[in-house]
Amino acid sequence: MSRRVKRPLAKSRAPGDRPKGARPYRGSQAERPPGHRPTGKPLRLSDKRQDRHPDKRGEQRSAVAPPEPAKAKDIAAAEPLPIKVQTVVVTDDENNMRVDRFLEARFPGLSFSHIQRIVRKGELRVNGKRADSKDRLEAGQSVRIPPLRLDAPKTASALSDAESKTLQALKEMTLYEDDDVLVLNKPAGLAVQGGSGTTRHVDQMLEVMRDAKGQKPRLVHRLDKDTAGCLLVAKTRFAATALTGSFRHRSARKVYWALVAGVPKPKQGRISTYLAKEESEEDTIMRIAEHGDEGASHAVTYYAVVENSGNKLAWVSLKPVTGRTHQLRAHMAHIGHAIVGDPKYFNIENWQLPGGLQNRLHLLARRIMIPHPRGGVIDATAPLPPHMLQSWNLLGLEAGRFDPIENAPEE
């Protein structure tokens, strides 16, 4: 379920979706523009992006004005691939771009793996120094670019059977799509990007969606492999820049659902810690750190208990303010209520999984709300994945129950 609304108003719900006396979800105060009326109806864009004409009472109108033509600087002009080493200068329009995005914009059609390889080997240099793919460039810097190999863009008619199946799988995962943005319902167990031993992942699947210029949709944020739910993808460089900026400035609102051991007390609260990466030969986890520790980053999460099953399990709604690796998983374990099925952070001794529940991570990226690059707001909601829906049914939890996190501060 998803939509693009003209302003971040309340999501429509059936009358029975929340308990008697509960206030409807209307978003945080920061989400409400001046003049917002609680009784206003959301304006939505249909899945086919057709205008909705007024009925006899004039209650509906076109959701969003036609987008303005893209400015010249928003469209990356494809440059010929260098067949030998060349040096280019970062332009004003490319200021603050990540190294990997810079290469994608300059040379549409380059694969993610090829970009990572030349950066990892040190073949690409910025002002004569090695660079990381996540480093941000500054206007005027010199970038040394090695010879590149372009992956031929795929057309619908040229797709193999396997690629056609991949394209169909992406369509089945789609919660929302327009010319700039794609929101996927990522299944639990599917990695977002490649890694050691990973052969199938979302970034690789997106190869089949290259456009006529060879540009591939870009990942805007990440989800853990075992986390299901809303994953935002930009289909154009223009959208990628705008959406990444929204995450950087914390304009995006994310709500997660989880099943945790025990019932947190108090039932609503704020978790604020520092997190640092701890690596070993066998695994990498995020540990609770102290301010000033090497590599430590501040992390803030708001939580609220939606419903509990006795004293053994609780359904919680989580709202991360920051976006650290494994933040929600580490935070819930930190307060003694680890997420059920978490192989890295569940450390409660002598705890037995109730019969019928699958020992898989019970964490869902339930909802994402973010400004659309061309105006309005993207508001997408993902359903419970099969293993979590099974647990909800076995425990008698009502998936349509009112979600209490609505006015959690943003800082």
Side-chain angles (χ1 to χ4, degrees):
M1 178 181 179
S2 64
R3 63 190 176 199
R4 176 179 170 189
V5 296
K6 191 171 183 180
R7 61 180 67 176
L9 302 180
K11 286 188 73 176
S12 58
R13 296 175 183 260
D17 280 354
R18 55 181 182 271
K20 183 177 180 180
R23 294 180 294 133
Y25 184 99
R26 297 196 181 103
S28 67
Q29 187 65 35
E31 294 170 337
R32 304 176 194 172
H36 167 75
R37 293 183 301 162
T39 57
K41 293 185 178 181
L43 302 176
R44 67 172 68 186
L45 194 67
S46 68
D47 291 340
K48 295 184 179 179
R49 296 180 57 79
Q50 296 174 336
D51 288 339
R52 304 184 65 181
H53 301 289
D55 60 16
K56 294 180 180 179
R57 296 185 302 273
E59 292 180 350
Q60 295 177 346
R61 68 175 99 180
S62 175
V64 181
E68 297 179 0
K71 297 180 181 178
K73 69 178 182 179
D74 294 329
I75 302 176
E79 296 188 5
L81 282 178
I83 58 175
K84 60 182 180 180
V85 174
Q86 71 173 25
T87 301
V88 299
V89 177
V90 180
T91 66
D92 290 339
D93 286 345
E94 294 166 330
N95 184 57
N96 203 40
M97 285 184 69
R98 283 175 35 153
V99 168
D100 52 1
R101 303 303 187 205
F102 171 83
L103 288 173
E104 285 182 341
R106 286 258 181 167
F107 309 104
L110 280 180
S111 67
F112 172 80
S113 59
H114 189 38
I115 291 174
Q116 296 300 314
R117 184 164 56 253
I118 64 174
V119 173
R120 184 175 63 252
K121 290 183 176 180
E123 295 176 357
L124 181 141
R125 292 179 178 265
V126 178
N127 285 353
K129 299 180 181 179
R130 292 178 69 114
D132 186 88
S133 60
K134 295 180 181 179
D135 289 347
R136 295 192 177 274
L137 299 171
E138 296 180 6
Q141 288 184 323
S142 297
V143 182
R144 174 194 182 275
I145 300 176
L148 301 175
R149 183 183 71 254
L150 178 67
D151 290 355
K154 301 289 184 179
T155 62
S157 59
L159 294 178
S160 66
D161 289 344
E163 290 168 332
S164 296
K165 290 180 179 178
T166 297
L167 186 60
Q168 181 60 33
L170 287 171
K171 288 182 178 179
E172 292 173 356
M173 291 162 54
T174 299
L175 295 171
Y176 174 87
E177 182 176 15
D178 61 27
D179 292 341
D180 294 291
V181 180
L182 178 67
V183 183
L184 299 175
N185 178 22
K186 187 190 81 66
L190 176 63
V192 172
Q193 285 187 307
S196 178
T198 301
T199 57
R200 180 178 172 81
H201 49 86
V202 174
D203 193 53
Q204 175 240 354
M205 295 173 70
L206 292 172
E207 290 285 346
V208 302
M209 292 185 65
R210 288 189 180 275
D211 62 18
K213 294 182 179 179
Q215 294 191 70
K216 187 185 77 171
R218 301 159 171 84
L219 296 166
V220 178
H221 67 128
R222 310 288 186 269
L223 291 178
D224 294 341
K225 178 179 179 180
D226 294 322
T227 301
C230 297
L231 180 68
L232 190 64
V233 178
K235 296 173 67 176
T236 61
R237 175 194 168 195
F238 166 67
T241 301
L243 295 172
T244 301
S246 292
F247 276 103
R248 188 181 306 119
H249 298 111
R250 297 182 183 173
S251 299
R253 310 287 189 267
K254 294 181 288 183
V255 175
Y256 289 73
W257 281 1
L259 187 68
V260 302
V263 181
K265 293 181 181 180
K267 288 194 172 184
Q268 294 191 37
R270 177 179 185 266
I271 307 170
S272 174
T273 71
Y274 284 84
L275 295 175
K277 185 178 294 185
E278 186 173 278
E279 296 181 297
S280 66
E281 294 182 0
E282 299 179 352
D283 205 357
T284 299
I285 65 169
M286 301 300 291
R287 63 175 178 82
I288 303 300
E290 298 293 332
H291 178 51
D293 285 359
E294 183 178 358
S297 299
H298 189 218
V300 176
T301 301
Y302 288 89
Y303 74 88
V305 175
V306 182
E307 197 171 357
N308 57 281
S309 179
N311 293 320
K312 187 158 188 176
L313 294 165
W315 162 16
V316 296
S317 178
L318 304 167
K319 184 176 182 180
V321 176
T322 52
R324 312 304 178 199
T325 301
H326 297 174
Q327 175 177 320
L328 302 181
R329 298 163 64 181
H331 270 176
M332 295 313 295
H334 172 62
I335 65 172
H337 299 282
I339 298 174
V340 171
D342 192 332
K344 289 180 179 284
Y345 298 93
F346 199 101
N347 55 5
I348 303 175
E349 295 183 3
N350 302 319
W351 194 89
Q352 295 295 321
L353 187 72
L357 273 63
Q358 297 183 46
N359 190 23
R360 301 179 62 186
L361 183 67
H362 282 58
L363 180 61
L364 168 69
R366 169 66 174 175
R367 186 180 180 192
I368 187 167
M369 295 153 284
I370 190 169
H372 192 284
R374 300 191 189 276
V377 171
I378 302 163
D379 188 349
T381 301
L384 289 169
H387 72 283
M388 290 180 67
L389 181 59
Q390 179 187 39
S391 299
W392 259 239
N393 290 336
L394 287 170
L395 297 171
L397 303 175
E398 301 175 30
R401 185 175 172 84
F402 169 65
D403 192 336
I405 288 191
E406 59 175 84
N407 291 317
E410 296 305 317
E411 299 295 342

